[in-house]
Structure formats: structure tokens, C-alpha cells
Amino acid sequence: MKRILSIQSHVVFGCAGNSAAVFPMRRLGIEVWPVNTVQFSNHTQYSEGWQGMVMPKGHISQLMAGLANIGVLGRCDAVLSGYLGSAEQGEEILAAVTRLKALNPDALYFCDPVMGHPDKGCIVAPGVADFLKNRALPCADMLAPNLLELEQLTGREIHNLAEALAACQQLRDGGVKLVLVKHLGRAGFNLDSFEMLLVCDEGAYHIARPLYAMHRQPIGVGDLLSATMLANLVDGCDPVTAFELTNASVDAVLARTWLDQAGELQLVAAQDELAEPHVRTRATRL
């Protein structure tokens, strides 16, 4: 049994952060230890707003101390970090990663660098973007930015696939072993598809899945992608196979969400296809 410590947001209603990540990873056979950076009633892109709180300073450190005290922290195989409620929480996560790697040198740190998208209502606290670029990036073994985050992390403007590849290689030159670009958007081949890019030791790979005509695009797809990718990697898949399985699992969830015309990801309804996806699309080596 593999174990992942997942440190990110939580919503009571809907799917974002741990609410989009924990169930899929468990359904894939991973033991998950969730730690919440915030607890909100719903994700921040509801026009009606949200209620809840950012977890206080020291909260993550206290939980890590508790895990260490009972002798289980070293059993963890990977840390997944996502939405941060504050830059101070980021420092606590890095301390947890350092502490874990001292106990288990093979443990991985997979960073989903959520840097915000104000135009879509995704808001992060002041200092979080700078923390991710200057502090988290040098510590990450694996990174899963979207196109906007890739631009912010590398200081580049990216308009096409060649520029995206160059940005990923810049991150790898800085020490990141694997970069998963979760959504290529305008840098991809076809705006009518959802395209992703994987750059790792095995090479650079491209894959696509359909875009579904939702009445409102569901939130949490990126969180689901990162969680599923890491679960497949920790479970022993090579990066390309993990990439293909992740694409198929997420497509199954989005297809069910589209069929149900639901506003939130239909993780439970699509759980069987998520856990045992039918890989219809293979990754193409670039």
C-alpha cells in the first residue's frame, strides 16, 4: 500500500483541492492522508461567494509533529501540495517535505502550483505566487502547472508548443524531474481539444482529450489531474503510462459530468471508469 500526504484546500460542497483529489486517489488504491490548508463552504468561483476560513499558522506543522510522534511520517511515499491559504503555509509544507525526506529519502514532492486566475474567480493570498516561484519550485521533484502558471514560473510568454517545451526544459534544468502542463490552451495544436504536455527523462509527450460543451466548466479538474497522475506514478507506472491513464480517467469523469449536465465533477458517479479507465488515446512523443 502506497501513501500520499495531500496538503491543499477543502470544500464542503463540490470538488476542489482535497475534495477533488482524495477520493480518486483512494479509489486508485492509494492510502491518502489529507491536510487542509483552507476549509470553505464551496469553491471561490461561485458568484454568490463562499464562507469558511484559512487554517491558522502552525496548523500544518502541528499535524506533521503529531504524525512524527506516532512514528508514521516516514511511511509516506509522496507529498502533494495544491491551493495554499497563505505563503506561511507554504513554508510549513516545505518543512514537512524536508522532514519526510530525512526519514524516507525516496519520497517525492509533487507541487501543483496554484497561482490564481482572477478573471475566473480563482484568488490566492498575497505572497503565494512569489513563494511558489522562489521557494517551492527549487524543492519540487514534480510540477503540474497550467499554461499561465508555467509562464509565471519561468518568466516567459508562451504562445506555441515549442515555447512551452522550452519553458518546461527551463524548469527541468533547475532540478524538476517531471513537468506536467495540465492545460496547453493557446499553446496547443487545437483549441477544440483539451491538450496536455509531459516532459520528463523519457522525453516530451503530448496527449489530448475532448472538450465537452458544459453550461459551466467544472472546477477542480486540475486538482483531479495532479492527484491522479501522482497516484499512478506512486503505484509504479512509468511516466508515459501514468500520463495516458490520467488522461483517460479524467476524460471519464468529464464525460459523466457532461452527460449529467452537472456543475460539479461527478467523481462518485464515474468512479468505476476513473479507477479502471479505458485508454483510447496514446501519448505522442514530440
Side-chain angles (χ1 to χ4, degrees):
M1 178 72 72
K2 297 295 184 178
R3 303 168 181 89
I4 293 174
L5 176 64
S6 182
I7 310 177
Q8 49 187 318
S9 62
H10 171 78
V11 292
V12 176
F13 175 81
C15 297
N18 273 331
S19 301
V22 173
F23 175 76
M25 289 192 287
R26 286 176 173 164
R27 194 65 181 79
L28 288 165
I30 304 297
E31 183 177 319
V32 186
W33 302 347
V35 174
N36 299 330
T37 55
V38 305
Q39 179 147 309
F40 291 161
S41 56
N42 49 274
H43 65 67
T44 60
Q45 296 180 49
Y46 274 86
S47 60
E48 301 87 347
W50 72 95
Q51 298 292 322
M53 65 177 291
V54 175
M55 295 302 168
K57 181 179 179 180
H59 176 71
I60 296 171
S61 297
Q62 288 176 353
L63 296 180
M64 294 307 102
L67 294 176
N69 289 344
I70 62 173
V72 300
L73 185 58
R75 300 180 194 173
C76 188
D77 298 286
V79 175
L80 170 62
S81 70
Y83 184 95
L84 302 179
S86 67
E88 291 78 12
Q89 287 180 339
E91 295 295 345
E92 293 183 64
I93 291 172
L94 294 188
V97 170
T98 299
R99 191 170 191 173
L100 171 58
K101 289 196 171 195
L103 296 168
N104 179 6
D106 294 328
L108 301 170
Y109 175 33
F110 192 111
C111 177
D112 185 343
V114 181
M115 303 176 84
H117 196 317
D119 291 344
K120 293 185 177 181
C122 181
I123 303 165
V124 297
V128 166
D130 287 341
F131 164 80
L132 290 167
K133 181 175 181 178
N134 299 318
R135 296 283 293 128
L137 179 58
C139 299
D141 298 300
M142 302 176 179
L143 201 70
N146 59 30
L147 187 65
L148 292 176
E149 291 157 354
L150 183 61
E151 289 182 321
Q152 291 183 69
L153 290 169
T154 59
R156 295 170 175 258
E157 289 188 5
I158 301 171
H159 304 94
N160 53 51
L161 191 59
E163 292 175 349
L165 284 167
C168 291
Q169 191 55 52
Q170 178 181 327
L171 296 176
R172 280 180 40 81
D173 290 344
V176 179
K177 299 180 181 69
L178 179 151
V179 182
L180 168 65
V181 184
K182 296 179 295 187
H183 188 194
L184 278 169
R186 65 177 182 274
F189 294 117
N190 184 358
L191 289 175
D192 293 329
S193 297
F194 189 100
E195 301 177 56
M196 298 191 295
L197 178 66
L198 173 70
V199 183
C200 55
D201 289 343
E202 287 77 3
Y205 292 82
H206 172 275
I207 203 166
R209 64 167 176 80
L211 273 177
Y212 297 97
M214 310 277 193
H215 70 276
R216 183 179 73 182
Q217 287 297 320
I219 303 303
V221 178
D223 303 322
L224 173 61
L225 277 166
S226 295
T228 309
M229 184 70 178
L230 180 56
N232 285 318
L233 289 167
V234 166
D235 199 38
C237 293
D238 65 82
V240 180
T241 300
F243 190 43
E244 293 172 339
L245 288 169
T246 296
N247 188 59
S249 291
V250 174
D251 180 55
V253 173
L254 267 294
R256 177 60 66 92
T257 304
W258 171 68
L259 284 171
D260 293 350
Q261 285 298 295
E264 298 282 353
L265 292 174
Q266 296 300 289
L267 299 176
V268 175
Q271 62 179 293
D272 292 338
E273 300 97 318
L274 186 158
E276 296 183 8
H278 178 55
V279 177
R280 297 176 177 85
T281 305
R282 297 292 177 183
T284 301
R285 183 161 188 163
L286 299 172

